[in-house]
Amino acid sequence: MAAFDAVIVGAGHNALVCALYLAKAGRRILVLERSAEIGGALRSAELTLPGFVHDLYATNVGQFAVSPAYRDFAPEFAAAGLEFLSNPYPYATALDGGRAIRVYKDQALTEREIAAVSADDAAAWRELVGLFKRTAPQFLPLFFTPMPSAAALLRAAGLLGASPRSAWALRRIVKDTPRAFVDRRFAADETKALLMPWAYHMDFGPDVPGGATFAFVAGLSGHLRGLSVAKGGAGAITSALRRIALSLGAQIRTSSEVKSIRIERGRAAGVTLAGGETIDADCIVASVTPKLLFGGLVADEHLPPAFRRRIGAYRYGPATFVVHLALDRPLEWRAAADLAQFNYVHLCGGTDDIARTYADSLAGRLPERPVLVVSQTTPVDPSRAPPGKHVARIHVRTVPSVIAGDAAGAIDARSWKDAAEPYAERLLDLVAAQAPNLRSAILARRIVAPPEIELDNPNLVGGDCVSGSHHLDQNFARRPLRGWSRYATPIRGLYMTGAATWPGGGVHGGSGYLLAQTLLRRS
Amino acid sequence: MFTRVEGLKRVLDLFDGVPVMVTVGACWVEWDALRPSDGNFALKTLGSGSSVGLGVALALPKRKVVILDGDGAVLMNMNGVATVGQMQPKNLIHIVFDNKVYEASGCIRTATSFNADLVAVAKGLGIKSAHRVATPEAFESQVRAAFASDGPHFIVAETKLSEGDSTFAYARLEETDNKHRFMRFLEKVEGRKLREDAIDVKTSLR
């Protein structure tokens, strides 16, 4: 008998969620993490000054608060001290000319804000909110349903049965491009600029089909539920997961790099670590992105050639660039004093600007005015900084992984090592145009460019922070590949989890949860 | 010959409130598992142990300060040991695990596997209390003696290669975090501000 029922390679949150369910069912679990820190893309650290806690990657973690894992382990998470915080000011878009348009949790306030630019848009917004409220209870659970499956089909049928009109509208949203989605409903550029960035948080340029789903779901749930952060840092979720996993008897080893997955007679038999140590297990769960798993941890010779070819074509999205800021005081936005309270302020220009940024990112050019997500976390969670001080983050969607040029023609550097500083200056200029006190408020900053992201976490290939494009050909029943969307692989006993598997990127533990259900049902 | 873990386990009780500078590699992984604490500072630059440890020891003269080092690291920055010999910090304990190879980079042999003698080096640089130990019992008694008397102390422990995995992937983005936590650990155990301009930080955020 092998020493472990399951060895889990990688300690991202999906891996840990999977470990929780398996350990609770009495399975002997070992989690092996290559890095010195667990958490993958769900970590926080004092990156700038002492006492200033920054979320490295994921920060808006509200999905986790409504996930099955959180529901099923609610008492344990509470005992671990995990808390989610939100405020009445979810998101806004800062517009050219020092104006802004804001989405409050309060619906009447939001409608009034939109009515100020267009009365028709306010009505259309109300209609969209209605559609979300009517359909969300049916379709949100789809994200925690295996894909494809009879259960998913039943849910879709239930949606159709409950309201054919709503179902039809949803069906169109699933296929729509972000541009078509907003143009179909809204007249004013301002209103459109509220939802377009949400599709771009993934890698949906305005004209990519399928992006409307993200604009609709993230935009509307952000409006109605608010954006949530984890008290003390996104890493608090990771710490809680670790604590619960250990208390259930799972073992976690850090700085333990798996070099290969041992396959005997077509079946995964164990892992070999970088130092040569071998560990046997009845089943291996790889929370490793396809590029590193297949042809990396699993040698090509074990894979059917057709599968190897298809998985080799798995596509990563453009990169992310982040500037973490420690601030002496809140930003003073020209548009409105209360903008400093908003969890996310998007700076994105209009639809055509986003389209240009997308084309530039794909072509290797540094975008002239990229989509900026300015996260202001301290108004929601003051524990992230010493009293009276603040943290903020400029999260750039998107930049190229490899620089071929600069769309603005100003930066000559072709390596991120040399381009990171001047590019950060460009971003600060863009924000300072809206919040003039930005530079004088900065106590310290930390720039994280794509190569550093990939170095920190090799699963974020090229600095793609969601581990693979979420375009329609790689989502739903096609994540990561059609025929392999239910966590199994061509190797018996080897399973995949993580953001590259359904339901994809984001902090919800959906993939870890669904895989655990599958494994527990099988044995 | 014995393993680092065998030796360190015997003296763990001495380390309450003790700041420990640790060379990265398997040594860090093992120590951080034995004593998980914000008081562990990862020395990412090979050989910086003697220099960083000296600074901490001079700043906190009433507190024992320990460096967990490797032979390869000491050889990489021997001038730090010379400065320790010059400054004579009474509270500094420099433990060097001598496995005679650069273990984390493919076990290339170091000078100690040929002719170099680190105890003689330390003595030559002015550290009178320099000792070599080859058994866990001797390691324990030498470390206990070092904690109980004025130094500086320099202990070369002849250890075996790691039994497990010797690779180490440092979480680079957490480097600064490690520094901030370490500073906070020092301020907490000392019960005072260490820097005039230090920001008033809370004791624990996570």
Short mmCIF file of all heavy atoms in Angstrom, two decimals, chain B residues 145-194:
data_model
loop_
_atom_site.label_atom_id
_atom_site.label_comp_id
_atom_site.label_asym_id
_atom_site.label_seq_id
_atom_site.Cartn_x
_atom_site.Cartn_y
_atom_site.Cartn_z
N ALA B 145 27.31 25.60 25.86
CA ALA B 145 28.40 26.38 26.46
C ALA B 145 28.45 27.78 25.85
O ALA B 145 28.67 28.77 26.56
CB ALA B 145 29.73 25.66 26.23
N ALA B 146 28.19 27.86 24.55
CA ALA B 146 28.24 29.17 23.87
C ALA B 146 27.12 30.07 24.38
O ALA B 146 27.31 31.28 24.56
CB ALA B 146 28.12 28.98 22.37
N PHE B 147 25.94 29.49 24.63
CA PHE B 147 24.82 30.29 25.13
C PHE B 147 25.11 30.76 26.56
O PHE B 147 24.61 31.78 27.01
CB PHE B 147 23.51 29.48 25.09
CG PHE B 147 22.73 29.69 23.83
CD1 PHE B 147 22.96 28.91 22.71
CD2 PHE B 147 21.75 30.68 23.75
CE1 PHE B 147 22.24 29.11 21.54
CE2 PHE B 147 21.03 30.89 22.59
CZ PHE B 147 21.27 30.10 21.47
N ALA B 148 25.93 29.98 27.29
CA ALA B 148 26.16 30.26 28.71
C ALA B 148 27.37 31.16 28.94
O ALA B 148 27.63 31.57 30.07
CB ALA B 148 26.32 28.95 29.47
N SER B 149 28.11 31.48 27.89
CA SER B 149 29.33 32.26 28.12
C SER B 149 29.46 33.37 27.07
O SER B 149 28.77 33.37 26.04
CB SER B 149 30.54 31.34 28.05
OG SER B 149 30.61 30.76 26.75
N ASP B 150 30.37 34.29 27.33
CA ASP B 150 30.61 35.38 26.38
C ASP B 150 31.37 34.87 25.17
O ASP B 150 32.24 34.00 25.27
CB ASP B 150 31.43 36.49 27.07
CG ASP B 150 30.53 37.33 27.98
OD1 ASP B 150 29.30 37.17 27.90
OD2 ASP B 150 31.07 38.14 28.76
N GLY B 151 31.06 35.45 24.03
CA GLY B 151 31.71 35.08 22.79
C GLY B 151 32.61 36.19 22.30
O GLY B 151 33.08 36.97 23.11
N PRO B 152 32.78 36.31 21.02
CA PRO B 152 32.06 35.55 20.00
C PRO B 152 32.47 34.08 19.95
O PRO B 152 33.61 33.75 20.22
CB PRO B 152 32.48 36.27 18.70
CG PRO B 152 33.80 36.90 19.01
CD PRO B 152 33.73 37.28 20.46
N HIS B 153 31.46 33.28 19.57
CA HIS B 153 31.70 31.84 19.43
C HIS B 153 31.58 31.44 17.96
O HIS B 153 30.75 31.97 17.24
CB HIS B 153 30.68 31.04 20.24
CG HIS B 153 30.72 31.34 21.70
ND1 HIS B 153 31.72 30.88 22.52
CD2 HIS B 153 29.88 32.06 22.49
CE1 HIS B 153 31.49 31.29 23.77
NE2 HIS B 153 30.38 32.02 23.77
N PHE B 154 32.41 30.48 17.60
CA PHE B 154 32.41 29.99 16.22
C PHE B 154 32.46 28.48 16.30
O PHE B 154 33.41 27.90 16.81
CB PHE B 154 33.65 30.56 15.51
CG PHE B 154 33.65 30.39 14.02
CD1 PHE B 154 33.08 31.34 13.19
CD2 PHE B 154 34.26 29.28 13.43
CE1 PHE B 154 33.10 31.20 11.80
CE2 PHE B 154 34.28 29.13 12.04
CZ PHE B 154 33.70 30.10 11.23
N ILE B 155 31.38 27.83 15.86
CA ILE B 155 31.30 26.37 16.00
C ILE B 155 31.18 25.73 14.61
O ILE B 155 30.23 26.01 13.88
CB ILE B 155 30.07 25.97 16.86
CG1 ILE B 155 30.18 26.61 18.24
CG2 ILE B 155 29.97 24.45 16.96
CD1 ILE B 155 28.89 26.52 19.06
N VAL B 156 32.16 24.93 14.29
CA VAL B 156 32.10 24.23 13.00
C VAL B 156 31.59 22.81 13.28
O VAL B 156 32.22 22.05 14.02
CB VAL B 156 33.48 24.18 12.33
CG1 VAL B 156 33.42 23.35 11.05
CG2 VAL B 156 33.97 25.59 12.03
N ALA B 157 30.43 22.50 12.71
CA ALA B 157 29.84 21.18 12.92
C ALA B 157 29.99 20.35 11.66
O ALA B 157 29.53 20.75 10.59
CB ALA B 157 28.37 21.33 13.29
N GLU B 158 30.65 19.23 11.78
CA GLU B 158 30.84 18.36 10.61
C GLU B 158 29.57 17.57 10.39
O GLU B 158 29.24 16.66 11.15
CB GLU B 158 32.04 17.45 10.83
CG GLU B 158 33.32 18.26 10.91
CD GLU B 158 34.57 17.42 10.75
OE1 GLU B 158 34.47 16.18 10.90
OE2 GLU B 158 35.62 18.00 10.48
N THR B 159 28.83 17.94 9.36
CA THR B 159 27.52 17.31 9.15
C THR B 159 27.47 16.57 7.83
O THR B 159 28.23 16.83 6.90
CB THR B 159 26.41 18.37 9.19
OG1 THR B 159 26.82 19.52 8.47
CG2 THR B 159 26.08 18.76 10.62
N LYS B 160 26.48 15.70 7.78
CA LYS B 160 26.24 14.90 6.58
C LYS B 160 25.43 15.72 5.58
O LYS B 160 24.86 16.76 5.92
CB LYS B 160 25.43 13.65 6.93
CG LYS B 160 26.15 12.67 7.80
CD LYS B 160 25.42 11.34 7.85
CE LYS B 160 24.34 11.34 8.90
NZ LYS B 160 23.92 10.01 9.34
N LEU B 161 25.32 15.21 4.36
CA LEU B 161 24.43 15.82 3.38
C LEU B 161 22.99 15.62 3.85
O LEU B 161 22.69 14.70 4.60
CB LEU B 161 24.61 15.14 2.03
CG LEU B 161 25.95 15.39 1.34
CD1 LEU B 161 25.94 14.72 -0.02
CD2 LEU B 161 26.21 16.88 1.17
N SER B 162 22.10 16.48 3.36
CA SER B 162 20.69 16.34 3.70
C SER B 162 20.18 15.00 3.24
O SER B 162 20.61 14.49 2.20
CB SER B 162 19.86 17.42 3.00
OG SER B 162 20.41 18.67 3.26
N GLU B 163 19.25 14.47 3.99
CA GLU B 163 18.67 13.19 3.57
C GLU B 163 17.55 13.43 2.57
O GLU B 163 17.35 12.66 1.64
CB GLU B 163 18.15 12.44 4.79
CG GLU B 163 19.29 11.74 5.49
CD GLU B 163 18.97 11.37 6.92
OE1 GLU B 163 17.87 11.73 7.39
OE2 GLU B 163 19.80 10.72 7.57
N GLY B 164 16.84 14.51 2.76
CA GLY B 164 15.71 14.77 1.87
C GLY B 164 16.11 15.67 0.71
O GLY B 164 17.20 15.58 0.17
N ASP B 165 15.20 16.53 0.39
CA ASP B 165 15.33 17.41 -0.74
C ASP B 165 16.20 18.60 -0.35
O ASP B 165 16.00 19.20 0.69
CB ASP B 165 13.91 17.89 -1.08
CG ASP B 165 13.87 18.60 -2.39
OD1 ASP B 165 14.91 18.63 -3.06
OD2 ASP B 165 12.81 19.11 -2.72
N SER B 166 17.17 18.91 -1.16
CA SER B 166 18.04 20.02 -0.79
C SER B 166 17.79 21.26 -1.62
O SER B 166 18.49 22.25 -1.50
CB SER B 166 19.50 19.60 -0.92
OG SER B 166 19.79 19.37 -2.28
N THR B 167 16.79 21.21 -2.49
CA THR B 167 16.54 22.40 -3.31
C THR B 167 15.76 23.41 -2.49
O THR B 167 15.11 23.08 -1.51
CB THR B 167 15.72 22.06 -4.55
OG1 THR B 167 14.53 21.41 -4.12
CG2 THR B 167 16.49 21.16 -5.48
N PHE B 168 15.81 24.61 -2.91
CA PHE B 168 15.11 25.65 -2.17
C PHE B 168 14.68 26.73 -3.14
O PHE B 168 15.50 27.35 -3.80
CB PHE B 168 16.04 26.26 -1.12
CG PHE B 168 15.41 27.38 -0.36
CD1 PHE B 168 14.45 27.12 0.59
CD2 PHE B 168 15.75 28.70 -0.64
CE1 PHE B 168 13.87 28.16 1.28
CE2 PHE B 168 15.16 29.74 0.05
CZ PHE B 168 14.22 29.46 1.01
N ALA B 169 13.38 26.93 -3.23
CA ALA B 169 12.88 27.99 -4.10
C ALA B 169 12.42 29.13 -3.21
O ALA B 169 11.38 29.04 -2.57
CB ALA B 169 11.72 27.46 -4.94
N TYR B 170 13.20 30.14 -3.13
CA TYR B 170 12.83 31.25 -2.26
C TYR B 170 11.67 32.01 -2.87
O TYR B 170 11.66 32.29 -4.06
CB TYR B 170 14.03 32.19 -2.06
CG TYR B 170 13.79 33.09 -0.90
CD1 TYR B 170 14.00 32.63 0.39
CD2 TYR B 170 13.31 34.38 -1.08
CE1 TYR B 170 13.74 33.43 1.47
CE2 TYR B 170 13.05 35.19 0.00
CZ TYR B 170 13.27 34.71 1.28
OH TYR B 170 13.00 35.51 2.35
N ALA B 171 10.68 32.32 -2.04
CA ALA B 171 9.56 33.12 -2.52
C ALA B 171 10.04 34.57 -2.58
O ALA B 171 10.07 35.27 -1.59
CB ALA B 171 8.37 32.98 -1.58
N ARG B 172 10.46 34.98 -3.75
CA ARG B 172 11.16 36.25 -3.90
C ARG B 172 10.33 37.44 -3.44
O ARG B 172 10.84 38.39 -2.88
CB ARG B 172 11.58 36.45 -5.35
CG ARG B 172 12.51 35.38 -5.84
CD ARG B 172 12.90 35.61 -7.29
NE ARG B 172 13.80 36.73 -7.43
CZ ARG B 172 13.51 37.82 -8.10
NH1 ARG B 172 12.36 37.95 -8.68
NH2 ARG B 172 14.39 38.80 -8.21
N LEU B 173 9.04 37.36 -3.73
CA LEU B 173 8.21 38.51 -3.38
C LEU B 173 8.06 38.64 -1.87
O LEU B 173 7.70 39.68 -1.38
CB LEU B 173 6.83 38.38 -4.05
CG LEU B 173 6.88 38.54 -5.56
CD1 LEU B 173 5.55 38.19 -6.18
CD2 LEU B 173 7.26 39.96 -5.94
N GLU B 174 8.35 37.58 -1.15
CA GLU B 174 8.21 37.63 0.30
C GLU B 174 9.50 38.08 1.00
O GLU B 174 9.55 38.17 2.20
CB GLU B 174 7.76 36.28 0.86
CG GLU B 174 6.26 36.14 0.98
CD GLU B 174 5.60 35.59 -0.27
OE1 GLU B 174 6.27 35.51 -1.32
OE2 GLU B 174 4.41 35.25 -0.21
N GLU B 175 10.56 38.37 0.24
CA GLU B 175 11.81 38.80 0.86
C GLU B 175 11.62 39.99 1.79
O GLU B 175 12.07 39.99 2.93
CB GLU B 175 12.79 39.26 -0.23
CG GLU B 175 13.65 38.18 -0.79
CD GLU B 175 14.38 38.70 -2.00
OE1 GLU B 175 15.01 39.77 -1.92
OE2 GLU B 175 14.30 38.05 -3.05
N THR B 176 10.99 41.03 1.26
CA THR B 176 10.78 42.23 2.06
C THR B 176 9.90 41.92 3.25
O THR B 176 10.09 42.44 4.34
CB THR B 176 10.11 43.32 1.19
OG1 THR B 176 10.57 43.19 -0.13
CG2 THR B 176 10.43 44.69 1.71
N ASP B 177 8.93 41.06 3.02
CA ASP B 177 8.02 40.64 4.08
C ASP B 177 8.82 40.01 5.23
O ASP B 177 8.60 40.30 6.39
CB ASP B 177 7.05 39.61 3.49
CG ASP B 177 5.86 39.33 4.38
OD1 ASP B 177 5.02 40.24 4.51
OD2 ASP B 177 5.79 38.23 4.95
N ASN B 178 9.77 39.14 4.88
CA ASN B 178 10.62 38.48 5.87
C ASN B 178 11.38 39.53 6.70
O ASN B 178 11.45 39.46 7.92
CB ASN B 178 11.60 37.54 5.14
CG ASN B 178 12.53 36.77 6.07
OD1 ASN B 178 13.66 36.52 5.74
ND2 ASN B 178 12.07 36.41 7.26
N LYS B 179 11.89 40.55 6.01
CA LYS B 179 12.62 41.60 6.71
C LYS B 179 11.71 42.34 7.70
O LYS B 179 12.07 42.54 8.87
CB LYS B 179 13.21 42.60 5.70
CG LYS B 179 14.01 43.71 6.37
CD LYS B 179 14.58 44.68 5.36
CE LYS B 179 13.56 45.71 4.95
NZ LYS B 179 14.12 46.76 4.09
N HIS B 180 10.51 42.71 7.23
CA HIS B 180 9.58 43.45 8.10
C HIS B 180 9.17 42.63 9.31
O HIS B 180 9.08 43.13 10.42
CB HIS B 180 8.35 43.89 7.33
CG HIS B 180 8.65 44.86 6.23
ND1 HIS B 180 9.64 45.79 6.32
CD2 HIS B 180 8.09 45.03 5.01
CE1 HIS B 180 9.68 46.51 5.20
NE2 HIS B 180 8.75 46.06 4.39
N ARG B 181 8.91 41.35 9.08
CA ARG B 181 8.51 40.48 10.19
C ARG B 181 9.66 40.31 11.18
O ARG B 181 9.46 40.29 12.39
CB ARG B 181 8.10 39.10 9.67
CG ARG B 181 6.76 39.10 8.99
CD ARG B 181 6.65 37.86 8.10
NE ARG B 181 5.35 37.81 7.49
CZ ARG B 181 4.31 37.20 8.07
NH1 ARG B 181 4.45 36.58 9.21
NH2 ARG B 181 3.14 37.20 7.48
N PHE B 182 10.85 40.18 10.64
CA PHE B 182 12.03 40.03 11.48
C PHE B 182 12.22 41.28 12.35
O PHE B 182 12.47 41.20 13.55
CB PHE B 182 13.26 39.78 10.60
CG PHE B 182 14.52 39.50 11.37
CD1 PHE B 182 14.65 38.34 12.12
CD2 PHE B 182 15.58 40.40 11.36
CE1 PHE B 182 15.81 38.08 12.83
CE2 PHE B 182 16.74 40.15 12.06
CZ PHE B 182 16.87 38.99 12.81
N MET B 183 12.06 42.45 11.71
CA MET B 183 12.18 43.71 12.48
C MET B 183 11.16 43.75 13.60
O MET B 183 11.45 44.16 14.73
CB MET B 183 11.94 44.91 11.55
CG MET B 183 13.13 45.20 10.62
SD MET B 183 12.65 46.28 9.24
CE MET B 183 12.08 47.73 10.10
N ARG B 184 9.94 43.31 13.27
CA ARG B 184 8.87 43.36 14.26
C ARG B 184 9.16 42.37 15.40
O ARG B 184 8.89 42.66 16.56
CB ARG B 184 7.53 43.04 13.60
CG ARG B 184 6.36 43.56 14.35
CD ARG B 184 5.19 43.91 13.47
NE ARG B 184 4.86 42.84 12.56
CZ ARG B 184 4.64 43.01 11.27
NH1 ARG B 184 4.70 44.20 10.73
NH2 ARG B 184 4.34 42.00 10.51
N PHE B 185 9.73 41.22 15.03
CA PHE B 185 10.12 40.23 16.04
C PHE B 185 11.12 40.86 17.01
O PHE B 185 10.99 40.75 18.23
CB PHE B 185 10.72 39.01 15.35
CG PHE B 185 11.39 38.03 16.27
CD1 PHE B 185 10.65 37.03 16.90
CD2 PHE B 185 12.75 38.09 16.52
CE1 PHE B 185 11.27 36.12 17.75
CE2 PHE B 185 13.37 37.19 17.38
CZ PHE B 185 12.62 36.20 18.00
N LEU B 186 12.12 41.54 16.44
CA LEU B 186 13.15 42.15 17.29
C LEU B 186 12.53 43.21 18.20
O LEU B 186 12.84 43.28 19.40
CB LEU B 186 14.25 42.79 16.43
CG LEU B 186 15.08 41.83 15.56
CD1 LEU B 186 16.15 42.59 14.80
CD2 LEU B 186 15.71 40.73 16.40
N GLU B 187 11.64 44.04 17.63
CA GLU B 187 11.03 45.09 18.45
C GLU B 187 10.17 44.48 19.55
O GLU B 187 10.12 44.99 20.66
CB GLU B 187 10.20 46.02 17.56
CG GLU B 187 11.07 46.83 16.61
CD GLU B 187 10.34 47.97 15.91
OE1 GLU B 187 9.10 47.93 15.88
OE2 GLU B 187 11.02 48.89 15.41
N LYS B 188 9.55 43.34 19.23
CA LYS B 188 8.68 42.69 20.22
C LYS B 188 9.51 42.10 21.35
O LYS B 188 9.22 42.34 22.53
CB LYS B 188 7.85 41.60 19.53
CG LYS B 188 6.66 41.14 20.34
CD LYS B 188 5.78 40.23 19.48
CE LYS B 188 4.97 39.30 20.35
NZ LYS B 188 4.49 38.14 19.58
N VAL B 189 10.55 41.36 21.02
CA VAL B 189 11.32 40.73 22.09
C VAL B 189 12.12 41.78 22.89
O VAL B 189 12.35 41.62 24.08
CB VAL B 189 12.27 39.61 21.58
CG1 VAL B 189 11.47 38.46 21.02
CG2 VAL B 189 13.26 40.13 20.54
N GLU B 190 12.50 42.85 22.23
CA GLU B 190 13.25 43.89 22.92
C GLU B 190 12.33 44.84 23.68
O GLU B 190 12.76 45.56 24.58
CB GLU B 190 14.07 44.71 21.91
CG GLU B 190 15.28 43.98 21.37
CD GLU B 190 16.45 43.97 22.36
OE1 GLU B 190 16.85 45.06 22.80
OE2 GLU B 190 16.92 42.88 22.71
N GLY B 191 11.06 44.86 23.25
CA GLY B 191 10.10 45.77 23.88
C GLY B 191 10.43 47.24 23.65
O GLY B 191 10.14 48.08 24.49
N ARG B 192 11.04 47.53 22.52
CA ARG B 192 11.37 48.92 22.22
C ARG B 192 11.47 49.13 20.72
O ARG B 192 11.62 48.17 19.95
CB ARG B 192 12.69 49.31 22.88
CG ARG B 192 13.88 48.54 22.32
CD ARG B 192 15.17 48.86 23.07
NE ARG B 192 16.25 47.97 22.69
CZ ARG B 192 17.24 48.28 21.84
NH1 ARG B 192 17.27 49.46 21.28
NH2 ARG B 192 18.18 47.41 21.55
N LYS B 193 11.42 50.38 20.33
CA LYS B 193 11.62 50.75 18.93
C LYS B 193 13.09 50.60 18.59
O LYS B 193 13.95 50.98 19.37
CB LYS B 193 11.22 52.21 18.73
CG LYS B 193 9.74 52.40 18.49
CD LYS B 193 9.52 52.49 16.99
CE LYS B 193 8.06 52.36 16.63
NZ LYS B 193 7.21 53.31 17.29
N LEU B 194 13.37 50.04 17.44
CA LEU B 194 14.77 49.90 17.07
C LEU B 194 15.24 51.01 16.15
O LEU B 194 16.41 51.30 16.05
CB LEU B 194 14.99 48.55 16.39
CG LEU B 194 14.75 47.35 17.32
CD1 LEU B 194 14.86 46.06 16.55
CD2 LEU B 194 15.75 47.37 18.46
#
